[in-house]
């Protein structure tokens, strides 16, 4: 039987736990032409939610296009991504891609290649004669509205990892995008992202191009009862039951982050498929396998950190990450002044080891946290050298 726990890619169909409330709310907002900023920490399920929302909207004859800005490394690659996504939303047949592209975006030269999976792939390159990339982008931003009017259909464009637009050419591109999309009446927009502070700044700072441009939706973790039911049912389909404390352990250790839960369950399934019951010891053993299986990577990371950063990580791993600037905390873990804690924390956040959730600091990789807790159990404030 195929492992039913999917991680590391967007989930659809059987693998997607219905986020009924979120889907209903998003659908309503989008249908009433609201622009939505969808924000959550990494791996909570933004992309999956967007893909499933697209499924709902396509059922209502909408055209859907998603642009992943992580893939845009230059203005030219943004133009390619934008153009290709919009063309795919309207034409599914490769033979029509070229004709469409030549008619609507003559500034770009289309080519079709066959990718390693044997599927045709469209790419759009700037004509060598054509230098005015800004004009081209203006044209592309307006293409969805043009298509919507011509085909009498509504269109949704989702920018995934929207904050990455800042890495392209800063404010200029944001202003141009805003100026164009503000005029659209038949196209709805979602701006999704995981760099929370950056995205909040983009919508809430009066000086920002996207100031008050839409509604902010903060995506939370998945309803625990729904996730429990999902796990129990998936194991049951293979005639495996799972004890209550084993299930509880899965949720605490993963901090209820959807990716982590699916990842851990995937490994438990692989390890114990064929067994009748999963008990808490099995969950423990799997966590240990995962954490220690990553030892070569985690050791390399650990070695590159400063002694103070290691202390901060160890302290957060042991304590849960609340009140880390308080005098008691700093004294207990030998962390020195609040400003040195701040410096280490900032660096650990920018390297994506930690994230801030309300008033506490959490590990992005909970298995790294487990590895530190278990492997570095005697790494204390007085430690001068790392243990490896
Ligand atoms: N609704 C869901 N049902 C089941 N699993 C989910 C759901 N949403 C997310 N997941 C799990 O979390 C993983 C990450 O989901 P997704 O890629 O959608 O999140 P994301 O917020 O876009 O992440 P990133 O910040 O890395 O872009 C999925 O591969 C899946 O394992
Ligand atoms: Mg994503």
């Amino acid at each position: 039987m195929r492992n039913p726990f999917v991680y590391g890619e967007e989930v659809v169909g059987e693998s997607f736990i219905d986020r009924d409330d979120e889907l209903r709310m998003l659908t309503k907002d989008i249908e009433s032409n609201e622009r939505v900023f969808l924000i959550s920490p990494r791996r909570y399920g933004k992309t999956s939610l967007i893909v499933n929302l697209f499924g709902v909207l396509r059922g209502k004859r909408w055209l859907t296009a998603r642009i992943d800005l992580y893939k845009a490394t230059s203005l030219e690659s943004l133009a390619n991504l934008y153009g290709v996504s919009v063309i795919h939303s309207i034409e599914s047949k490769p033979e029509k891609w070229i004709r469409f592209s030549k008619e609507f975006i003559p500034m770009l030269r289309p080519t079709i290649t066959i990718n390693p999976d044997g599927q045709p792939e469209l790419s759009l390159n700037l004509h060598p004669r054509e230098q005015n990339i800004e004009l081209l982008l203006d044209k592309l931003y307006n293409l969805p509205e043009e298509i919507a009017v011509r085909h009498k259909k509504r269109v949704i464009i989702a920018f995934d990892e929207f904050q990455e637009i800042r890495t392209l050419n800063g404010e200029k591109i944001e202003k141009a995008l805003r100026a164009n999309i503000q005029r659209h009446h038949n196209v709805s927009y979602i701006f999704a992202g995981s760099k929370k502070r950056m995205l909040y700044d983009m919508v809430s700072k009066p000086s920002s191009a996207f100031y008050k441009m839409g509604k902010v939706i903060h995506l939370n973790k998945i309803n625990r009862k729904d996730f429990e039911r999902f796990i129990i049912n998936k194991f049951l389909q293979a005639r495996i039951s799972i004890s209550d404390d084993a299930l509880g352990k899965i949720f605490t250790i993963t901090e209820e982050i959807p990716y982590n839960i699916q990842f851990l369950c995937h490994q438990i399934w692989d390890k114990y498929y064929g067994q009748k019951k999963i008990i808490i010891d099995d969950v423990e053993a799997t966590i240990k396998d995962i954490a220690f299986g990553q030892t070569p990577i985690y050791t390399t990371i650990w070695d590159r950190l400063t002694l103070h950063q290691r202390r901060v990580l160890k302290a957060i791993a042991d304590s849960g990450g609340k009140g880390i600037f308080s005098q008691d905390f700093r004294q207990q873990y030998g962390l020195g002044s609040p400003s040195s804690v701040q410096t280490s924390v900032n660096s650990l956040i920018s390297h994506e080891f930690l994230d801030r959730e309300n008033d506490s600091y959490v590990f992005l990789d909970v298995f790294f946290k487990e590895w530190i807790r278990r492997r570095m159990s005697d790494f204390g404030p007085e430690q001068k050298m790392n243990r490896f």
Side-chain angles (χ1 to χ4, degrees):
M1 211 174 156
R2 245 185 90 183
N3 194 321
F5 299 104
V6 178
Y7 64 92
E9 57 192 82
E10 60 255 22
V11 284
V12 290
E14 288 276 290
S15 311
F16 180 74
I17 300 167
D18 289 329
R19 282 180 175 269
D20 280 339
D21 293 344
E22 293 93 331
L23 260 180
R24 206 174 314 117
M25 181 166 71
L26 259 179
T27 310
K28 197 165 136 260
D29 286 336
I30 294 302
E31 285 183 324
S32 54
N33 233 350
E34 182 93 69
R35 296 184 204 99
V36 171
F37 287 80
L38 182 66
I39 303 178
S40 83
R42 294 215 57 191
R43 299 168 165 182
Y44 268 43
K46 296 172 297 296
T47 305
S48 300
L49 184 61
I50 291 171
V51 170
N52 285 274
L53 169 75
F54 276 15
V56 173
L57 292 174
R58 276 200 296 271
K60 300 181 177 197
R61 301 188 65 248
W62 282 56
L63 303 175
T64 63
R66 179 165 71 93
I67 294 127
D68 182 357
L69 287 172
Y70 261 139
K71 295 188 187 148
T73 49
S74 62
L75 292 183
E76 197 172 336
S77 76
L78 173 65
N80 172 46
L81 281 171
Y82 211 109
V84 170
S85 302
V86 173
I87 292 176
H88 284 334
S89 76
I90 181 95
E91 299 289 3
S92 55
K93 295 197 182 83
E95 55 277 19
K96 293 199 172 161
W97 292 343
I98 301 271
R99 197 177 349 130
F100 183 95
S101 150
K102 285 188 170 154
E103 183 181 346
F104 286 93
I105 344 168
M107 292 161 91
L108 285 171
R109 209 163 41 181
T111 16
I112 294 179
T113 48
I114 302 295
N115 73 14
D117 300 330
Q119 298 299 319
E121 208 166 81
L122 173 68
S123 60
L124 302 167
N125 295 300
L126 202 59
H127 248 285
R129 276 183 278 109
E130 206 54 72
Q131 291 305 322
N132 195 339
I133 185 94
E134 266 121 22
L135 194 71
L136 165 68
L137 284 170
D138 279 346
K139 168 88 190 141
L140 283 167
Y141 299 147
N142 289 310
L143 189 57
E145 178 76 8
E146 215 177 313
I147 292 174
V149 172
R150 183 183 278 227
H151 290 265
K152 296 198 173 55
K153 285 196 172 182
R154 304 241 348 236
V155 180
I156 167 108
I157 304 280
F159 290 96
D160 212 346
E161 302 300 347
F162 183 62
Q163 74 279 338
E164 297 305 306
I165 201 160
R166 292 244 148 135
T167 62
L168 291 173
N169 76 349
E171 284 198 353
K172 209 167 161 193
I173 186 164
E174 288 177 48
K175 283 192 175 138
L177 179 60
R178 188 189 87 159
N180 283 292
I181 68 174
Q182 257 182 336
R183 292 195 296 264
H184 299 165
H185 301 294
N186 300 285
V187 187
S188 300
Y189 291 91
I190 294 183
F191 307 93
S194 49
K195 300 216 169 124
K196 289 175 286 175
R197 180 132 346 139
M198 214 165 175
L199 266 167
Y200 278 125
D201 277 359
M202 288 172 92
V203 256
S204 58
K205 270 200 177 154
S207 57
S208 166
F210 285 87
Y211 178 57
K212 290 194 172 165
M213 270 288 279
K215 172 177 174 178
V216 175
I217 295 182
H218 187 94
L219 185 66
N220 290 316
K221 292 168 182 171
I222 294 172
N223 176 289
R224 170 129 175 202
K225 282 270 161 291
D226 292 345
F227 223 136
E228 282 177 352
R229 208 171 314 122
F230 175 85
I231 296 172
I232 292 169
N233 285 339
K234 294 293 177 200
F235 277 117
L236 261 189
Q237 282 167 14
R239 297 176 193 281
I240 303 170
S241 68
I242 180 159
S243 71
D244 286 349
D245 54 356
L247 200 57
K249 182 81 193 172
I250 292 174
F251 282 87
T252 43
I253 208 79
T254 56
E255 293 173 6
E256 298 193 28
I257 296 168
Y259 172 96
N260 292 335
I261 299 175
Q262 291 262 26
F263 177 66
L264 178 55
C265 289
H266 187 100
Q267 308 305 327
I268 294 172
W269 174 284
D270 275 353
K271 197 168 156 75
Y272 297 106
Y273 184 75
Q275 193 168 292
K276 283 202 169 62
K277 187 166 179 132
I278 307 289
I279 58 169
I280 191 162
D281 291 351
D282 302 331
V283 178
E284 287 277 3
T286 314
I287 295 164
K288 210 167 149 192
D289 278 2
I290 297 171
F292 288 2
Q294 301 284 340
T295 291
I297 298 168
Y298 291 158
T299 309
T300 311
I301 295 171
W302 191 254
D303 282 346
R304 289 195 187 138
L305 299 171
T306 65
L307 183 63
H308 193 268
Q309 289 169 346
R310 288 181 206 159
R311 280 189 187 155
V312 169
L313 284 183
K314 175 72 169 54
I316 294 175
D318 286 347
S319 73
K322 263 203 166 95
I324 68 168
F325 296 99
S326 72
Q327 188 167 1
D328 282 355
F329 189 92
R330 285 183 288 112
Q331 219 155 31
Q332 184 185 348
Y333 292 101
L335 298 179
S337 67
S339 67
S340 49
V341 177
Q342 190 69 66
T343 308
S344 286
V345 163
N346 287 348
S347 164
L348 292 164
I349 290 178
S350 73
H351 287 96
E352 300 204 324
F353 294 122
L354 292 179
D355 199 3
R356 208 182 135 161
E357 252 183 34
N358 305 321
D359 58 345
S360 75
Y361 291 86
V362 294
F363 275 76
L364 275 167
D365 178 352
V366 290
F367 299 104
F368 187 34
K369 172 177 153 185
E370 281 309 306
W371 182 84
I372 294 173
R373 280 187 49 211
R374 289 158 198 249
R375 195 74 181 230
M376 296 294 149
S377 53
D378 51 357
F379 178 83
E382 56 299 319
Q383 213 84 29
K384 294 280 179 286
M385 300 286 291
N386 88 42
R387 307 258 318 137
F388 287 89

